[in-house]
Amino acid sequence: MFKALSARGLTTLTSAIFGILTARLILGHAGVEYFALYALVTVLPSLVQFQDLGTGAALVNTIATADAPDDDSHVTDTLTSVWRIMLKFAVVLTALNVVLLVSGGWMWLLGEPGLLPRASLVVFTCLSVWAVAVPLGIWQRILLGLRKNHLTILIQGLMAPINFLLVWVLIGSGSGAFPFLSLASYVGAFVIATVGMAASVRHLGRAVGRACRQVFKPAHHPGVRVMDVGWPMMAQLLSAPLSITAQRYVLARSGTTGELAEYTASAQVYLAFLGMISAAGIALWPSYARRRAAGQLTSGPFLLSALLGAASLAVMVVVGLLRGPVFAFTTNGQVPVHLNTVMAFSVMIVIQACLYPLGMFIMDKPGIRFQALPTAAMAVMSLLLAIVVTPRLGVVGPILSNCLCVLVFQLVPFTLYIHRHRARLWQAA
């Protein structure tokens, strides 16, 4: 966890710097309208984080518990099965992308920014690039299972500098390229996926090579069952898109371009902190799995949850005190960020910090199945509540909706579940 947290600390700094520079570059040259379009299009992949339909969880657990994963036939078969699902997802994504372009669906989803010239074509082009990169996305699960999440974070840390460079090149090309600024993010993501896949091959080369040869031969290599974990895990993967990423689209439909710009400017700062929390939390998953399989897990996650929550609260207080100069600089003075927005985001970050250790502690098969229902309920209720309250509350509506639903549907049920099943979850208790 500490390697992952250190790596995330380093990459958060560089990502924040280049993210701020990118925002200032777009706001200073293209304006608020194109910044809003950029914000909506670049987060689209976050709406569909289930490219593997949740089966990546089976791959992580299989690799994490194998003594020699590169020579383990079960690892190879699991990798083959997950890869086939990701290839099918890429095909479906491409077909859906075409339908939304032809039907005008992209223009409707984007709201006011969708009225900008060539907005629909921009989304179609970006999603086409992403569809090509989807099968390469398996690299993250491979490295996580190998307990090299710090390497994943360092590779992903290259994203912000690459994105800034490509945005700078596009802006230098003239105003005709302004609608296509979001394409920089997708091209950068493809580069990152290629580098990540190369790293995976280096650490698990023989298994990846065998899976590549098997993936298009289902008759001879049927693979293994992965959807028993996949379906419950998919419910969890849907939670972040519905409860966090979809907030921007609720604002796009119910709010103004200014409110969307304020949310985006704030999220740029606060979601960076959430990324650090996520890195520390996710790194616990394979560690818990391996220690539990070896009978060496001797304590629960509650102390760590409290410490992470307290540390996050301290950081949020500091950011809140410095909000004036921080957001004046990040937005080039063009987007006001109000105190209530800062406070709402701070509460959301602290709640997530408390939640992550609990969720990662119950990532065995029974735990994943349990998490599916409350997590799905949280996501759906968060989105519905945001749709209801955003017209009245504005920017803070979706954020507070998320806070309330995570507390009620995840934090409390996870705590009760861990207490009830402590005999299974940490055997030496």
Side-chain angles (χ1 to χ4, degrees):
M1 184 184 77
F2 296 106
K3 283 185 179 180
L5 192 56
S6 300
R8 178 60 75 179
L10 175 63
T11 57
T12 294
L13 178 61
T14 57
S15 297
I17 292 171
F18 282 102
I20 290 168
L21 292 175
T22 301
R24 286 173 60 87
L25 192 62
I26 297 173
L27 286 166
H29 291 82
V32 173
E33 292 80 8
Y34 284 106
F35 180 65
L37 177 63
Y38 170 87
L40 287 174
V41 178
T42 52
V43 298
L44 273 172
S46 301
L47 280 173
V48 279
Q49 295 179 353
F50 46 90
Q51 300 98 303
D52 57 12
L53 301 187
T55 57
L59 181 60
V60 171
N61 287 335
T62 300
I63 294 174
T65 55
D67 293 327
D70 209 11
D71 299 309
D72 193 308
S73 61
H74 187 57
V75 169
T76 301
D77 291 340
T78 304
L79 183 57
T80 301
S81 299
V82 174
W83 228 334
R84 284 172 182 156
I85 289 171
M86 296 182 77
L87 286 167
K88 292 174 183 176
F89 178 89
V91 172
V92 173
L93 174 65
T94 301
L96 180 61
N97 191 21
V98 172
V99 170
L100 289 172
L101 174 68
V102 174
S103 66
W106 285 130
M107 183 180 296
W108 177 87
L109 181 64
L110 294 174
E112 189 175 331
L115 301 177
L116 291 170
R118 294 180 288 182
S120 295
L121 179 61
V122 168
V123 185
F124 174 79
T125 305
C126 290
L127 267 290
S128 298
V129 173
W130 183 47
V132 176
V134 162
L136 300 176
I138 201 168
W139 72 275
Q140 298 180 54
R141 298 304 191 189
I142 293 174
L143 293 183
L144 179 58
L146 292 170
R147 290 173 293 165
K148 296 185 181 297
N149 198 41
H150 62 286
L151 182 57
T152 301
I153 295 166
L154 290 173
I155 293 173
Q156 290 175 329
L158 298 172
M159 180 65 200
I162 293 173
N163 184 53
F164 170 76
L165 179 62
L166 293 175
V167 167
W168 178 72
V169 170
L170 286 170
I171 286 180
S173 302
S175 59
F178 288 172
F180 291 92
L181 293 176
S182 52
L183 184 59
S185 176
Y186 287 82
V187 173
F190 180 80
V191 173
I192 296 300
T194 303
V195 173
M197 198 66 230
S200 298
V201 170
R202 181 182 177 187
H203 289 92
L204 203 71
R206 292 191 295 276
V208 170
R210 290 193 299 271
C212 284
R213 292 189 293 271
Q214 292 179 186
V215 72
F216 294 110
K217 301 176 181 178
H220 296 91
H221 302 282
V224 295
R225 184 185 180 193
V226 291
M227 289 309 296
D228 58 330
V229 173
W231 289 121
M233 189 65 191
M234 187 174 171
Q236 296 189 50
L237 292 174
L238 282 168
S239 67
L242 287 176
S243 63
I244 297 179
T245 306
Q247 293 175 356
R248 301 191 190 204
Y249 295 92
V250 174
L251 278 171
R253 298 297 307 168
S254 303
T256 65
T257 299
E259 289 176 330
L260 178 60
E262 179 183 355
Y263 177 92
T264 302
S266 306
Q268 182 173 281
V269 174
Y270 285 98
L271 295 187
F273 289 109
L274 183 58
M276 290 189 65
I277 293 167
S278 172
I282 290 176
L284 293 169
W285 177 3
S287 174
Y288 282 144
R290 192 170 187 86
R291 288 162 59 196
R292 183 176 288 123
Q296 299 172 348
L297 196 55
T298 59
S299 61
F302 300 112
L303 177 59
L304 186 57
S305 175
L307 291 173
L308 198 55
S312 299
L313 178 59
V315 173
M316 292 302 100
V317 170
V318 173
V319 174
L321 293 174
L322 298 175
R323 66 185 183 280
V326 167
F327 291 111
F329 178 76
T330 59
T331 66
N332 206 21
Q334 297 193 36
V335 180
V337 176
H338 299 94
L339 177 60
N340 57 352
T341 302
V342 170
M343 293 178 65
F345 264 116
S346 297
V347 173
M348 186 181 82
I349 296 302
V350 172
I351 291 175
Q352 289 290 337
C354 294
L355 176 67
Y356 256 99
L358 306 185
M360 293 302 103
F361 193 76
I362 50 177
M363 287 298 288
D364 58 345
K365 281 188 179 182
I368 291 174
R369 293 192 185 104
F370 162 76
Q371 290 188 56
L373 183 58
T375 301
M378 180 281 298
V380 173
M381 292 305 297
S382 177
L383 180 59
L384 292 177
L385 186 58
I387 292 172
V388 172
V389 303
T390 298
R392 288 188 176 184
L393 299 181
V395 176
V396 301
I399 307 169
L400 294 178
S401 299
N402 174 267
C403 293
L404 178 62
C405 291
V406 169
L407 181 64
V408 172
F409 292 104
Q410 287 187 288
L411 196 60
V412 172
F414 287 12
T415 301
L416 295 175
Y417 179 87
I418 292 171
H419 273 296
R420 187 176 298 123
H421 296 275
R422 58 179 297 166
R424 187 192 87 239
L425 293 170
W426 66 97
Q427 299 92 329

